Amino acid sequence: MTNLSKERPKALLLLAGTATMWSLGGLLIKSVKASPLSIAGSRSAIAVVLLLLVLKKPKLTWSVAQIGAALAYAATSMLFVTATKTTTAANAVLLQFTAPIYVAIFSSWLLKEKTKLLDWITVFLVMGGMVLFFLDNLSTKSILGNGIAAASGVSFAFFIMFMRMQKDGSPLESVLLGNVFTAAIGLPFLAWSAPDASGWLYLVILGVVQLGIPYILFSRAIKHATALEAILIPVIEPLLNPVWVFLILGEAPGLLAIIGGFIVLSAITVRCVLAAMLSPAKEVST
């Protein structure tokens, strides 16, 4: 029995746990009464402490790829928190989940990877789904929130691509730096928008349970899971995220957003499954 098959059951549990903890983001962010940047900065500062305890001596190469991934991570974090505060949790997470589409568009330029017909078909379907998000519940605030969420998908795509460029690096170092950058930008906003006692409790949970621990578990699980498993199991996050918000806070996306989300999620999942099935087994680097 290979090491991969021995460790796979544990890896699958770690991936499922990771996605479930990530999915708490929408509920916890909406529960903190503070500005988006102060939430993002505080969450990242708490995550930095946890990551330093795990890494002990981070291997910082300061390469273009490592810095690029860190900056893209910081942008993604701040944009996602802002979008979650401005639009529905479902819209925020599903529009961020369009990242693989931007990877398909930009990878030929940044990674020298050829974009295939299947990628362009998926791009067309996802863009159609995104139109429905912007048609749903038309208002200045919702359009702004959806636009910010879509931007977080672009920055997350660059985070993925810069991570792929680090063939011999540790993904946690880039995540650590990204959280440091986010904390440096966001923490000063606490002077104008500080949370109350319950808000700080939610921020600790965000930093430790929703951000720090999941990335540690994901970095370990990815070494023993197949590409297909690593693609499919994290889909739990965009499915559960709006569920928690609806059950606890009663927020529900509109009908057009639900249809758009179904199109986006289905198109990307099918595309990833087909790509994984048609490609030789290899370690996932993201």
Side-chain angles (χ1 to χ4, degrees), residues 79-259:
L79 288 170
F80 177 72
V81 173
T82 304
T84 301
K85 280 289 194 180
T86 315
T87 187
T88 66
N91 288 19
V93 71
L94 286 168
L95 284 169
Q96 187 188 63
F97 199 68
T98 59
I101 300 309
Y102 304 116
V103 171
I105 294 173
F106 295 116
S107 60
S108 59
W109 163 61
L110 194 59
L111 300 175
K112 308 302 180 185
E113 295 177 356
K114 185 178 180 180
T115 303
K116 301 177 182 178
L117 177 61
L118 178 61
D119 295 318
W120 291 116
I121 293 174
T122 309
V123 168
F124 177 78
L125 291 173
V126 169
M127 291 303 175
M130 288 177 65
V131 169
L132 295 179
F133 279 98
F134 286 91
L135 291 177
D136 187 76
N137 189 26
L138 286 177
S139 69
T140 303
K141 183 177 181 180
S142 65
I143 292 175
L144 175 62
N146 289 341
I148 294 172
S152 76
V154 177
S155 61
F156 189 51
F158 277 96
F159 170 70
I160 292 172
M161 289 185 286
F162 279 121
M163 292 292 276
R164 284 182 180 175
M165 291 170 63
Q166 300 179 73
K167 296 180 180 179
D168 301 316
S170 168
L172 274 180
E173 268 77 7
S174 286
V175 173
L176 172 65
L177 277 178
N179 279 300
V180 169
F181 293 158
T182 305
I185 295 171
L187 285 179
F189 286 85
L190 286 173
W192 295 278
S193 178
D196 55 19
S198 62
W200 279 111
L201 174 61
Y202 294 137
L203 283 171
V204 170
I205 298 174
L206 274 167
V208 175
V209 179
Q210 193 268 331
L211 203 63
I213 294 176
Y215 269 104
I216 295 169
L217 296 182
F218 186 79
S219 66
R220 294 179 179 177
I222 207 68
K223 298 177 182 179
H224 305 292
T226 65
L228 184 58
E229 291 162 346
I231 290 166
L232 286 178
I233 295 177
V235 172
I236 294 172
E237 180 196 359
L239 293 176
L240 286 181
N241 185 307
V243 171
W244 304 136
V245 176
F246 174 72
L247 291 177
I248 306 300
L249 301 179
E251 177 191 270
L255 178 60
L256 288 179
I258 292 174
I259 296 173

